[in-house]
Amino acid sequence: KAGVTQTPRYLIKTRGQQVTLSCSPISGHRSVSWYQQTPGQGLQFLFEYFSETQRNKGNFPGRFSGRQFSNSRSEMNVSTLELGDSALYLCASSPGQGGYTFGSGTRLTVV
Amino acid sequence: QKEVEQNSGPLSVPEGAIASLNCTYSDRGSQSFFWYRQYSGKSPELIMFIYSNGDKEDGRFTAQLNKASQYVSLLIRDSQPSDSATYLCAVKYGGATNKLIFGTGTLLAVQP
């Protein structure tokens, strides 16, 4: 059974650019959540999608957005990148109950 | 602000000993509790979750939950050097959401 797939694994962007990250959940999982992990703040919740609807959103600026497609794949977008957006972005999928499985993450570096 | 707190460590234990990792949470509405292990440079992997007061055992791991004290712990028996990692406690609150609130993690170092 394939796990959670995130692409790309690494990204280097310049300040002011925008970026799109992709996540394919485990087959059958309808819930996809996104987290940002930094050394200073730890794992911070960005948003959660369930059946193409955003069900919850964390305390991040509007530059961070996401969406979920009918096949449960999800994308997150960050516009007008800032140096402080450099982080590991993690996607997690869940069947609804029980544990959440994380993907390998996308490491974003903003220069 | 709903919070999850962990001692950042490092917690150093000798090989074969019991490692005890602790976590407290602020919101009594919390329903589900998760322990993740994260190796350096890797993503978190689920060790176990617990919903009810008491103990839950899975191999060398035991999760303990005390909702009255708002406290959850993870015991690792017969600790191995391969257990050296950061252990993250996460809490899911009620309602139709899968949002998890994470603690900052405890770094465990098992000395051979």
Side-chain angles (χ1 to χ4, degrees), chain A residues 75-92:
Chain A
E75 290 181 346
M76 68 163 281
N77 184 277
V78 187
S79 63
T80 320
L81 284 165
E82 302 177 358
L83 295 178
D85 297 333
S86 294
L88 178 65
Y89 290 88
L90 291 159
C91 168

Side-chain angles (χ1 to χ4, degrees), chain A residues 27-38:
Chain A
S27 179
H29 287 194
R30 295 162 64 189
S31 170
V32 174
S33 300
W34 289 89
Y35 293 82
Q36 180 196 65
Q37 187 174 33
T38 59

Side-chain angles (χ1 to χ4, degrees), chain A residues 25-33 48-53 55 68-74 92-96, chain B residues 98:
Chain A
I26 291 172
S27 179
H29 287 194
R30 295 162 64 189
S31 170
V32 174
S33 300
E48 180 208 355
Y49 287 88
F50 183 85
S51 294
E52 302 180 66
T53 300
R55 195 155 66 171
Q68 187 179 33
F69 302 96
S70 58
N71 62 358
S72 293
R73 190 178 71 85
S74 177
S93 80
S94 167
Chain B
N98 284 328

